[in-house]
Amino acid sequence: MLSACGGGENTRTADAASGDKKLKKIVIAEPLHSTGYLPLYLAQREGYFAKQGLEVEIIQAAGGAHVTAVVSGDAWGVIGGTESNALANNNNKDPIVSVVNVVNRANVYLMAKEGTAPQGSSPEDLKAFLKGKKINAGRHGGTPNLLTRYLLLELGLDPEKDVQLLEPADGSTVVTMVQQGAAEIANGSEPQISDGISKKVWGEPFYKFHDLGDFSYSVLSVKKSTIDKDPETVQKFTNAILEALKTVQSDKELVQKDLKAEFPTLSDEAIQAAMDRAYADHLWSLDGKISEAALKQDMDVMIQTGIFKGDYAYDKLVDMQFVNQANTK
């Protein structure tokens, strides 16, 4: 479901916020509002898109609708995992292609109901702890869900028999479901992690997936026809995201200000905790590049969980020409 109107056409001109300059308006669909998407928000708030002649509207589309919004033309682009694009591209004559990286780590953590976290972190400890639990794994087919299933399989547990997987379409429900007792374990990311800690729903995460290394978890993607017909706009959009990625690494004071603006209900302590976690886990891409290793890790998770069947090719899912062009300047 789209939680903001993206309009029926995916590009149009709009008056600039100031003066008579015309900006090309584009719509980006996100599956939920996440601190991981900060470079996108920062480029919007700090005028990086406007500097490139673009006006970017961000709409929330839960339950997998962020990808279909691009397919249908309700959105110009989408932020999400490459594996979701791969599923949508099956038998699609106009496939979705990823053009710039944002989150280069599997940005998922597991939290247990307050006071119930496992005492150890060995595979044996985790297997014993997870068996029989009710786990909010997120939407079936979504990356958090796939990563949960992947971990269970790695531990020797059957996701369909040894645990009870809860698969709500709306990823923002993780705190509430544990708080109300519907789930014993939550799969989530920031700002849900800090929100749950501040409400004493859970403590610090007992497991994180970042140790998988490079992982094309949240990339920005457009239709191939958009690349073919309007490469200039794709280049401008990529330029703005790359500027934001550099700012994220160089100006933490600005990052804190924009995070607070995007998540006004979070306390200053929660904002700081979310930032500390992101930098410690090397969350954001440094250069916008989507490596073959990052895509392989992402796709391997989906293949091993049985969600994706068949072959895939890096060149069909990723196009780094715009990142490479920006880096030549």
Side-chain angles (χ1 to χ4, degrees):
M1 177 179 294
L2 304 181
S3 60
C5 179
E9 56 186 4
N10 60 9
T11 63
R12 59 185 184 274
T13 57
D15 290 334
S18 61
D20 296 329
K21 183 181 178 182
K22 296 291 185 180
L23 302 180
K24 174 175 280 189
K25 184 168 184 177
I26 60 176
V27 175
I28 301 296
E30 62 175 10
L32 78 169
H33 212 49
S34 168
T35 59
Y37 304 156
L38 174 70
L40 177 63
Y41 310 146
L42 192 148
Q44 184 186 46
R45 287 186 169 277
E46 300 307 322
Y48 299 167
F49 288 130
K51 189 165 68 175
Q52 295 287 337
L54 302 176
E55 179 184 354
V56 173
E57 178 186 0
I58 301 170
I59 62 172
Q60 290 183 46
H66 61 304
V67 178
T68 56
V70 178
V71 175
S72 66
D74 285 333
W76 179 86
V78 59
I79 187 165
T82 47
E83 84 291 338
S84 294
N85 297 341
L87 285 175
N89 288 348
N90 190 26
N91 296 322
N92 185 353
K93 294 181 179 178
D94 190 4
I96 302 171
V97 179
S98 302
V99 296
V100 60
N101 201 354
V102 175
V103 175
N104 197 40
R105 289 289 183 275
N107 186 27
V108 176
Y109 301 77
L110 295 180
M111 291 74 67
K113 184 179 179 180
E114 178 76 8
T116 68
Q119 296 300 311
S121 58
S122 70
E124 293 76 16
D125 291 334
L126 290 174
K127 181 178 181 179
F129 175 71
L130 291 170
K131 189 169 184 178
K133 292 290 195 304
K134 292 185 291 185
I135 305 173
N136 181 346
R139 174 179 60 86
H140 184 78
T143 317
N145 187 298
L146 296 175
L147 285 163
T148 303
R149 290 172 178 270
Y150 177 79
L151 173 63
L152 294 170
L153 290 170
E154 288 289 301
L155 294 173
L157 294 173
D158 186 333
E160 305 299 337
K161 297 179 180 177
D162 293 328
V163 300
Q164 183 178 348
L165 289 184
L166 308 173
E167 301 175 317
D170 187 352
S172 66
T173 62
V174 288
V175 177
T176 301
M177 289 186 68
V178 176
Q179 190 172 34
Q180 296 181 347
E184 299 166 282
I185 294 171
N187 177 324
S189 58
E190 294 287 3
Q192 289 90 3
I193 297 172
S194 292
D195 187 29
I197 291 174
S198 67
K199 294 176 179 174
K200 301 188 182 306
V201 175
W202 51 60
E204 284 291 323
F206 66 87
Y207 188 84
K208 62 181 180 181
F209 290 86
H210 294 65
D211 292 340
L212 290 171
D214 288 353
F215 195 106
S216 52
Y217 188 83
S218 297
V219 301
L220 283 153
S221 310
V222 298
K223 285 182 180 178
K224 186 177 185 303
S225 61
T226 301
I227 294 175
D228 294 338
K229 296 176 182 176
D230 191 10
E232 183 180 1
T233 298
V234 181
Q235 185 66 65
K236 290 177 177 178
F237 181 82
T238 302
N239 293 345
I241 292 297
L242 292 176
E243 183 174 4
L245 288 173
K246 290 180 180 178
T247 300
V248 164
Q249 298 301 326
S250 64
D251 193 342
K252 293 184 179 179
E253 185 175 342
L254 185 62
V255 166
Q256 188 175 37
K257 178 180 78 70
D258 283 355
L259 274 179
K260 185 65 179 175
E262 289 291 334
F263 302 94
T265 61
L266 286 183
S267 67
D268 291 343
E269 292 76 15
I271 291 290
Q272 188 62 55
M275 288 179 57
D276 291 345
R277 196 184 313 280
Y279 287 112
D281 290 338
H282 307 288
L283 183 66
W284 292 298
S285 169
L286 299 177
D287 56 13
K289 293 183 178 179
I290 304 168
S291 69
E292 293 194 38
L295 176 66
K296 182 178 185 303
Q297 189 66 264
D298 191 359
M299 293 299 294
D300 280 353
V301 168
M302 188 162 64
I303 291 169
Q304 291 188 36
T305 53
I307 301 297
F308 183 85
K309 303 182 188 310
D311 299 322
Y312 72 92
Y314 176 86
D315 292 340
K316 298 293 185 182
L317 291 172
V318 176
D319 187 341
M320 287 287 93
Q321 65 169 302
F322 303 102
V323 171
N324 293 335
Q325 176 62 30
N327 287 335
T328 62
K329 296 180 180 178

